[in-house]
Amino acid sequence: MENEDNPYTGKTRDFMGEELRRRRKAHGLSQRELGDRMFLSGGYVGQIEVGKRRMTEDIAGRLDVELNTDGFFGRLVNALENSHHEDYFADAAELQTLAKAICEYSCTFIPGLFQTEDYARVVIRSGHPTAPQEKIDEIVKWRLERQQLLKGPERPDTWIILHETALRMVVGGPAVIGAQLRKIAEIIRAHHAVVQVVPFSAGPHGCAGGMLTLMSFVDAPDVAYAESAHSGQLLDNPALVARHRRAYDHARAVALSPKASLELIESVAEEFERCAQKQT
């Protein structure tokens, strides 16, 4: 029995799957028949069509031959492979450019939209310990370019909640984290974002233990993006989004006021700056 349930959402993988199904049917082939031609199971073809499995470069090339698509699938896969985004974050990054409002919570690191180059380099290297330096440089460059999202006249309303851990974790040494916190303070004083800090004294709360992004749009439903190490999930189910919204509101309720948060950020920055001076 063929799997025909492709919940097309605008994601690249869903688009590729829908195109595969459309073109397969145009050739009058079942999933099993196409799979037999490519030495794949019909179930595997079906999983690609519903976006559950990635289309590899090899499979894309064989599809272009079997379906006579003149390199269409190969070009799509190549474009996806050359993306600067981690696969699990690509859709969320695209949606951020369309959002009218972005709310973020982070318990460990400063979010990418606010990172300095030195801080970003350390964080990215920690997640890619064996990657070539050229790859790290490429990701850093992309991340800094993505920050233009917050500088234009049409920038989204942005609210960020940081756990105090993110302020005090020594990323790259005292000088690096000190400069990073100064950048956060500058963003606040420039009114480019509202920032609150959840202090250690607040204890556990709804968002504790992960990273969360909530996005609102002018003419589309809200979405939530939840991320942990090396994985992330984009959620558009209204009930789940509402649940994450309540968790975010809980974190906001136990956080320091924006004014007190700025004072704490600048105080911690001074501590790191003094420590950096002692090391020189």
Side-chain angles (χ1 to χ4, degrees):
M1 180 177 178
E2 293 196 4
N3 189 344
E4 297 291 350
D5 181 22
N6 185 328
Y8 180 60
T9 61
K11 299 178 183 179
T12 303
R13 194 178 297 185
D14 288 344
F15 171 75
M16 294 169 73
E18 180 62 27
E19 284 296 306
L20 171 55
R21 176 164 54 184
R22 186 177 68 81
R23 292 168 188 253
R24 169 180 61 78
K25 286 188 171 183
H27 280 71
L29 297 172
S30 68
Q31 291 173 345
R32 180 176 180 178
E33 288 170 337
L34 178 58
D36 287 344
R37 291 188 179 191
M38 300 177 60
F39 304 101
L40 300 173
S41 69
Y44 190 88
V45 173
Q47 289 176 353
I48 296 175
E49 289 187 357
V50 299
K52 291 182 179 179
R53 297 297 295 268
R54 177 190 290 272
M55 185 185 296
T56 65
E57 184 176 355
D58 176 63
I59 290 175
R62 285 189 278 165
L63 284 172
D64 283 327
V65 172
E66 295 296 336
L67 300 178
N68 191 29
T69 47
D70 190 30
F72 173 79
F73 289 109
R75 291 191 295 272
L76 275 180
V77 168
N78 184 63
L80 186 60
E81 291 297 325
N82 289 330
S83 170
H84 298 299
H85 308 282
E86 298 285 4
D87 180 55
Y88 57 82
F89 179 63
D91 297 313
E94 181 178 351
L95 287 174
Q96 282 186 338
T97 66
L98 304 174
K100 71 171 184 178
I102 298 174
C103 295
E104 292 203 69
Y105 171 82
S106 178
C107 65
T108 307
F109 296 119
I110 305 300
L113 284 175
F114 302 88
Q115 292 176 1
T116 65
E117 180 175 351
D118 290 338
Y119 185 97
R121 192 173 299 279
V122 175
V123 171
I124 292 168
R125 171 55 75 186
S126 70
H128 302 78
T130 61
Q133 187 58 46
E134 294 78 9
K135 179 64 174 178
I136 300 300
D137 292 341
E138 183 180 16
I139 300 174
V140 170
K141 180 182 178 182
W142 161 78
R143 183 165 296 183
L144 296 179
E145 290 176 350
R146 196 165 65 89
Q147 295 177 2
Q148 296 301 313
L149 175 67
L150 301 180
K151 298 179 181 179
E154 301 298 324
R155 64 177 180 269
D157 292 332
T158 306
W159 199 299
I160 178 171
I161 300 176
L162 301 171
H163 194 274
E164 190 172 349
T165 301
L167 272 58
R168 297 190 180 277
M169 180 179 290
V170 183
V171 176
V176 172
I177 185 61
Q180 174 63 76
L181 295 180
R182 288 299 182 188
K183 178 174 181 176
I184 295 292
E186 292 172 3
I187 290 171
I188 295 171
R189 293 188 178 281
H191 306 291
H192 288 173
V194 175
V195 179
Q196 287 183 269
V197 176
V198 176
F200 291 129
S201 60
H205 55 86
C207 285
M211 296 183 67
L212 174 66
T213 302
L214 297 166
M215 289 173 275
S216 301
F217 307 88
V218 173
D219 56 359
D222 293 357
V223 298
Y225 173 73
E227 182 174 310
S228 57
H230 308 299
S231 66
Q233 186 176 19
L234 191 64
L235 305 168
D236 57 7
N237 180 283
L240 286 176
V241 174
R243 185 174 180 180
H244 281 290
R245 176 75 66 181
R246 288 193 296 272
Y248 191 86
D249 289 342
H250 185 195
R252 183 155 44 195
V254 300
L256 300 174
S257 70
K259 181 176 183 296
S261 296
L262 175 59
E263 291 173 353
L264 177 59
I265 290 168
E266 293 184 325
S267 174
V268 177
E270 290 177 4
E271 293 176 19
F272 280 119
E273 288 165 350
R274 287 195 297 268
C275 184
Q277 290 176 354
K278 291 179 181 179
Q279 292 180 353
T280 58

